Amino acid sequence: MKQFKAESKKLLDLMINSIYSNKEIFLREIISNASDAIDKLYFKSLTDHSVTTQKEDYKIHLAVNKEDRTITVTDNGIGMTKEELEKNLGTIARSGSGDFKAENKADDIDIIGQFGVGFYSAFMVASRVTVISRAFGSDEAWKWESSGAEGYTLTEAEKDEVGTKIIMVIKENTESENYDRFLEEYTLVDIVKKYSDYVRYPITMYREKSRAKEKPADAGEDYKPEYETYTELETLNSMVPLWKRSKSDVSDEEYNEFYKSKFMDFTDPARVIVSRTEGTATYNSLLFIPGRAPYDYYTREYEKGLQLYASGVLIMEKCADLLPDYFSFVKGVVDSQDLSLNISREMLQQDGQLKLIRSSLEKKIKNELSSMKMNDREKYEEFFKNFGRQLKFGCYAEYGMHADLLKDLLLFYSAKEKKLITLAEYVEKMPEEQKFIYYAAGDSAERLAKLPAAELVLDKGYDLLLLTEDVDEFCLQVLRQYGEKDKEKEFKNISSGDLGLETEEEKKAAEEKSEASKELFAAMKEALGEKVTAVRLSTRLKSHPVCITSEGPVTLEMERILSQMPGSEGNAPKSQKVLELNADHPIFATLKGLQEAGDKEKLATYADILYNQALLIEGLPIEDPVAYAQSVCELMK
Ligand code: ADP
Ligand code: MG
């Protein structure tokens, strides 16, 4: 018996037991080798006319035998000579395919092997592996046989056709591992479909089927059909990956079906993005924007990622690094020939290539969404309903690092136009003198549109964005402003600070009025205590007597949202509230009367009632609903 030539025999053990995390990939490795061997013969046939195999005759055949516990993989590729068997299979970590690539300087041939270890993955499931091979151009065949780390034997054998046959004797079940499953036809079919569906040559297998026997001519009324089993040769793989076919050759139907079956959705995708890229990042990709959000999309359970293939062979089911979080809804496949994979092919060796692909994909997705927004607004709105929240999170996340990329994909509800609009559309329709992009934030658009300050903004002829999702205001705060360079407009919450709606004269008049009621404001502030930071004259009220606004970075709506976040109990940042009074409202005169008469107690009660009313109008909870109700009843007596 010959010993493996490797640094250490331990290497084989190590490799069998630790490189791969998943036993079923042995079949991927063996089939990939067969496919490489066929590639090599085909490549030879281009220059060597003694190759008689026709292109359509190349195939990889799979057979399983439960009694003998064997799986056999046969190919009619280039085969191996005695020397090659010894060199390639007798030396761990030696890749004949790697040499072939180097010798032929054939970067453009998609040979899968490169490390010289894949073959040994067979020992993860097999107790014994036999390789019978006849090399092209040779009239002898050789048999290589090994039961693992002990070494291998090499003897002469009989084989009529050029190519290689690999027979694996599957291990007996152990307590922790079920090996029998690899002897089930359907397991093998599944594994082939999963990893090797796009291998370019047919992978065939005889499958057991059942059919009704022909009805005898003399069968009576009560004839019951009899069934018989038979076997039929089936091609298990689909061979040409959809993403390698040109877009014009594939129908929408095919793309949709592919999407639905591959990504377990029952709705057609909203968009299909097909691309082939040459240059810095060479890859083919087929991406889908789902037609609806998966039920777990906005939960922690959802895992983003694209399927990653290297030359048509599946490497990773969900490669998260290919997608930024804000596009995590995208599904699809990426296939690249020039990925340098780590030895188990379960990971990429360097992220450099991944980063290139990722940024190229990001551009494609963004362009697709932009064009959908321009050309098919209805569909885009539907998309936005599903995934808009994720784009807004993306804007807000990482301190707004991606806000520039995403801001033009956002839609918000316009109070004036009563539909979703983009920020660009808002700014475009702004009258010359309008200083801010106005918005109101809360849980119901209907209520927001009725806010006193909303009336004021709309009456001026300005539009108002009604933000009803939790993330909305945070997103705008990160953006801070929007518009053409040097003409950017700041976002302005209508319940916060100075709205900038008045002329200089109006401002002056308001200041005078305010000065005249200084004492009233001071008395009310005293009565309300810490609840408010100030009591002021309002410039945003028309028909209401009071309203609550905020000063500083935390707005009323942000306080509400932050206080509802899990774990925030009592610690969430609070807004600084200001009670604003409408000097033109009859109640203002009443308050003034009380203050001048020195009726502090009544003024305090009124201040409290008005404060609570203002909170209610803003959709905010009041601290003591019972006390509030009692105060109101007091007044009615
Ligand atoms: P890799 O595929 O990364 O080169 P493997 O361990 O999978 O490494 O295979 C080692 C070498 O054995 C291959 O490079 C190839 O030269 C040879 N080989 C394996 N399987 C076959 C086959 N079915 N036909 C011809 N050569 C093969
Ligand atoms: Mg290989």
Side-chain angles (χ1 to χ4, degrees):
M1 178 157 314
K2 300 192 182 193
Q3 305 291 305
F4 284 110
K5 289 190 193 115
E7 281 305 317
S8 155
K9 281 191 304 185
K10 292 230 170 70
L11 188 58
L12 182 56
D13 253 350
L14 188 76
M15 112 110 239
I16 294 166
N17 298 307
S18 62
I19 290 187
Y20 299 105
S21 58
N22 197 348
K23 291 198 160 43
E24 67 187 17
I25 62 85
F26 80 95
L27 197 58
R28 170 187 84 182
E29 294 298 327
I30 297 300
I31 287 175
S32 295
N33 284 349
S35 163
D36 282 353
I38 295 175
D39 272 342
K40 289 173 197 165
L41 188 58
Y42 176 66
F43 185 71
K44 201 174 193 59
S45 76
L46 301 177
T47 50
D48 183 340
H49 296 290
S50 62
V51 179
T52 51
T53 316
Q54 297 299 306
K55 204 175 173 193
E56 58 278 12
D57 295 334
Y58 288 119
K59 70 170 188 195
I60 299 162
H61 184 73
L62 198 61
V64 55
N65 184 323
K66 268 191 189 171
E67 278 83 69
D68 304 348
R69 296 189 70 82
T70 57
I71 298 175
T72 305
V73 179
T74 315
D75 67 68
N76 53 355
I78 198 152
M80 281 176 275
T81 61
K82 181 184 177 204
E83 289 70 34
E84 283 166 335
L85 278 166
E86 190 142 26
K87 210 167 66 179
N88 296 333
L89 305 185
T91 319
I92 299 166
R94 133 136 227 152
S95 171
S97 292
D99 292 351
F100 180 86
K101 253 184 168 169
E103 277 159 28
N104 291 287
K105 295 204 174 36
D107 281 345
D108 54 332
I109 41 174
D110 277 2
I111 284 199
I112 300 158
Q114 54 179 333
F115 293 112
V117 294
F119 170 77
Y120 301 98
S121 65
F123 289 106
M124 289 194 296
V125 298
S127 54
R128 182 166 197 78
V129 180
T130 306
V131 181
I132 302 168
S133 193
R134 184 172 147 192
F136 170 75
S138 162
D139 45 20
E140 47 184 56
W142 286 86
K143 179 162 99 177
W144 179 101
E145 215 162 4
S146 171
S147 305
E150 290 313 306
Y152 61 93
T153 59
L154 201 54
T155 48
E156 226 179 321
E158 290 284 318
K159 192 172 189 306
D160 295 338
E161 289 167 352
V162 168
T164 304
K165 175 185 248 176
I166 299 186
I167 305 149
M168 294 163 272
V169 181
I170 301 303
K171 292 179 186 172
E172 297 288 342
N173 282 352
T174 63
E175 250 169 49
S176 57
E177 189 68 48
N178 172 4
Y179 292 102
D180 285 357
R181 67 195 161 108
F182 296 117
L183 294 167
E184 298 297 340
E185 223 177 78
Y186 60 82
T187 313
L188 297 180
V189 173
D190 280 353
I191 301 176
V192 169
K193 279 239 159 271
K194 182 164 171 194
Y195 297 100
S196 311
D197 201 30
Y198 306 112
V199 162
R200 277 176 302 233
Y201 306 102
I203 302 166
T204 58
M205 179 160 106
Y206 280 103
R207 300 200 63 184
E208 213 163 86
K209 304 199 166 170
S210 142
R211 67 183 159 207
K213 282 187 183 168
E214 210 173 299
K215 192 173 170 184
D218 59 354
E221 283 281 302
D222 54 354
Y223 171 78
K224 286 206 187 64
E226 281 180 47
Y227 290 88
E228 60 182 358
T229 56
Y230 68 105
T231 52
E232 193 172 73
L233 190 65
E234 218 177 78
T235 298
L236 308 180
N237 55 332
S238 48
M239 289 183 274
V240 186
L242 206 58
W243 58 88
K244 282 212 170 171
R245 286 162 60 189
S246 95
K247 196 171 181 179
S248 53
D249 290 346
V250 185
S251 67
D252 292 351
E253 192 63 35
E254 277 177 282
Y255 281 131
N256 291 349
E257 285 314 312
F258 175 84
Y259 166 76
K260 287 190 281 193
S261 65
K262 194 140 192 133
F263 300 104
M264 326 272 192
D265 197 351
F266 49 83
T267 320
D268 283 344
R271 218 63 175 185
V272 181
I273 315 172
V274 189
S275 57
R276 298 153 175 258
T277 320
E278 305 288 337
T280 44
T282 333
Y283 68 86
N284 289 284
S285 69
L286 177 54
L287 306 184
F288 299 92
I289 296 169
R292 65 180 184 98
Y295 69 93
D296 63 348
Y297 185 60
Y298 290 104
T299 70
R300 244 175 254 247
E301 274 70 57
Y302 181 81
E303 276 178 78
K304 66 167 182 171
L306 300 176
Q307 283 197 339
L308 181 64
Y309 287 79
S311 305
V313 177
L314 180 66
I315 301 301
M316 232 186 281
E317 194 85 59
K318 260 189 187 164
C319 181
D321 290 343
L322 284 170
L323 284 177
D325 279 343
Y326 41 88
F327 291 151
S328 64
F329 47 83
V330 175
K331 305 263 187 200
V333 302
V334 172
D335 187 355
S336 176
Q337 319 182 0
D338 51 23
L339 289 172
S340 57
L341 302 170
N342 80 349
I343 208 158
S344 62
R345 302 185 198 213
E346 287 169 1
M347 266 180 296
L348 297 171
Q349 213 155 35
Q350 33 149 289
D351 323 327
Q353 298 152 312
L354 260 205
K355 281 205 186 110
L356 283 174
I357 298 181
R358 173 191 164 123
S359 74
S360 154
L361 289 174
E362 177 181 288
K363 279 193 204 96
K364 295 212 163 82
I365 298 168
K366 156 125 200 237
N367 289 345
E368 190 69 28
L369 292 175
S370 300
S371 95
M372 187 164 145
K373 185 188 72 187
M374 302 248 291
N375 308 322
D376 194 348
R377 188 59 172 260
E378 207 175 309
K379 203 152 190 188
Y380 188 75
E381 281 180 23
E382 181 76 29
F383 154 78
F384 200 79
K385 224 166 58 201
N386 285 320
F387 301 112
R389 224 171 114 198
Q390 189 66 10
L391 298 183
K392 293 183 214 164
F393 279 129
C395 244
Y396 167 67
E398 294 175 70
Y399 308 99
M401 214 163 98
H402 311 285
D404 259 352
L405 179 98
L406 299 172
K407 64 187 179 194
D408 286 314
L409 295 176
L410 304 181
L411 298 178
F412 296 101
Y413 190 78
S414 148
K416 203 166 156 186
E417 309 209 9
K418 306 221 177 329
K419 62 173 192 192
L420 291 167
I421 61 169
T422 62
L423 295 174
E425 286 158 0
Y426 183 102
V427 170
E428 202 178 299
K429 292 194 180 157
M430 273 171 76
E432 194 67 38
E433 79 284 357
Q434 187 179 336
K435 294 195 196 94
F436 297 111
I437 300 173
Y438 294 103
Y439 70 87
D443 49 7
S444 132
E446 254 176 28
R447 188 182 60 73
L448 292 175
K450 288 191 207 136
L451 282 180
E455 274 178 77
L456 210 65
V457 170
L458 291 168
D459 280 356
K460 275 263 179 192
Y462 301 162
D463 199 356
L464 175 68
L465 300 174
L466 303 178
L467 312 185
T468 52
E469 264 182 342
D470 284 3
V471 63
D472 286 346
E473 191 172 14
F474 293 90
C475 173
L476 293 191
Q477 287 228 336
V478 160
L479 281 174
R480 281 188 39 240
Q481 52 183 22
Y482 182 89
E484 270 173 56
K485 204 168 158 31
D486 300 324
K487 287 196 204 157
E488 292 95 344
K489 305 284 180 192
E490 264 179 54
F491 294 104
K492 182 64 132 187
N493 185 325
I494 58 162
S495 303
S496 166
D498 182 2
L499 293 186
L501 292 172
E502 315 130 304
T503 60
E504 286 304 312
E505 282 152 43
E506 285 169 326
K507 257 193 186 152
K508 231 184 176 162
E511 260 163 45
E512 277 163 24
K513 252 195 215 166
S514 172
E515 191 57 30
S517 310
K518 225 168 57 189
E519 279 143 25
L520 171 63
F521 299 145
M524 287 184 75
K525 160 71 183 126
E526 199 190 314
L528 291 170
E530 293 300 300
K531 289 177 191 156
V532 296
T533 50
V535 177
R536 266 190 218 137
L537 188 80
S538 184
T539 51
R540 74 188 89 216
L541 288 172
K542 281 177 77 179
S543 48
H544 284 265
V546 284
C547 69
I548 289 272
T549 64
S550 69
E551 288 181 322
V554 182
T555 65
L556 301 173
E557 175 63 7
M558 286 166 85
E559 175 183 328
R560 189 180 70 83
I561 291 164
L562 292 171
S563 70
Q564 284 169 357
M565 300 242 251
S568 71
E569 284 77 18
N571 298 321
K574 293 252 184 303
S575 60
Q576 299 171 15
K577 298 186 185 64
V578 175
L579 183 69
E580 294 190 359
L581 303 180
N582 182 354
D584 301 330
H585 197 282
I587 284 197
F588 190 80
T590 311
L591 294 171
K592 230 169 162 189
L594 288 174
Q595 184 256 319
E596 279 159 9
D599 190 345
K600 274 199 172 177
E601 203 180 316
K602 208 163 194 182
L603 185 65
T605 311
Y606 282 21
D608 215 50
I609 292 174
L610 290 170
Y611 168 75
N612 283 327
Q613 265 186 13
L615 287 177
L616 288 174
I617 292 172
E618 283 294 333
L620 297 169
I622 55 179
E623 268 158 44
D624 191 345
V626 177
Y628 170 71
Q630 270 169 356
S631 303
V632 174
C633 290
E634 250 346 275
L635 291 181
M636 293 179 179
K637 272 197 201 154

